[in-house]
Amino acid sequence: MADSTKTQTAPRRKNMRSAEREKLIVTEAVRFFAECGFEGKTRELAKRMGVSHAVIYKHFESKEALIERVYEHVYLKRWDPNWDSLVLDRSLSLQERLTQFYISYADRVFEYDWVRIFVSSGLKSYGLTERYLGIIRTKIIRPAAMEFRYDCGRADDPSPLTEDELEVFWGLHGAVFYIAIRKYVYGEPLEIDIKQVVARTVRNFFKGITEPGPARP
């Protein structure tokens, strides 16, 4: 049964500064869109906040502008710039680098709001999911694939990365993220140690791509 407090009108917040009100709208919008998806109406959001519908549009010219701010708040602000250099740090093995990255990544993004907004944005074609996956592709997937070439003795290979090479590391990314999907979208009660599961997922991935397959007859 849904929490009845979610549908009640919040008490009005008076005498707030403009910047504080705008920040509050974004904070409330994050949870609202996580619960209702992007099809949720801003009028209902205003009702939950205990303000008039016009208050939201005083700070945001459109629903799309509010969604853009939600994207910045939920996704861009959580990106750790240290991750970029971590993937390229050859003082560690590629397996160690990706293990550290995905443990840190899971710690930051495995949350109800983040996961559900990510899925909702993909279904509603607001372009947020595509933009975020573009960041993952540029900063994680492509560098990891290039580093794997280096490990395989192909550092001087001038040919562009193939989609097959990239897909291998998308597979790893998807395997890690599916843990969050099961918990926050499917509602499975996962009683697991996320760090251990992520580390094992990365370890099994590298075992699979580095061990030779069965001999062909």
Side-chain angles (χ1 to χ4, degrees), residues 79-95:
W79 187 268
D80 185 344
N82 293 320
W83 290 339
D84 303 18
S85 56
L86 172 61
V87 177
L88 301 175
D89 182 4
R90 290 179 180 169
S91 68
L92 303 171
S93 70
L94 184 55
Q95 178 177 332

Side-chain angles (χ1 to χ4, degrees), residues 120-177:
S120 177
S121 66
L123 294 174
K124 285 298 176 181
S125 300
Y126 280 96
L128 307 188
T129 301
E130 292 85 348
R131 286 161 57 188
Y132 184 75
L133 289 179
I135 295 174
I136 295 293
R137 183 184 182 94
T138 299
K139 296 181 177 292
I140 303 300
I141 303 300
R142 291 186 63 84
M146 287 299 297
E147 290 299 294
F148 187 62
R149 273 192 179 185
Y150 177 85
D151 286 353
C152 293
R154 298 175 56 203
D156 297 329
D157 187 342
S159 62
L161 288 166
T162 67
E163 286 302 314
D164 285 346
E165 288 178 286
L166 297 174
E167 190 61 30
V168 169
F169 288 92
W170 276 122
L172 171 60
H173 189 81
V176 172
F177 190 62

Side-chain angles (χ1 to χ4, degrees), residues 47-59:
K47 181 180 178 181
R48 290 191 182 200
M49 293 181 62
V51 301
S52 70
H53 194 215
V55 167
I56 292 179
Y57 287 100
K58 178 181 178 181
H59 295 275

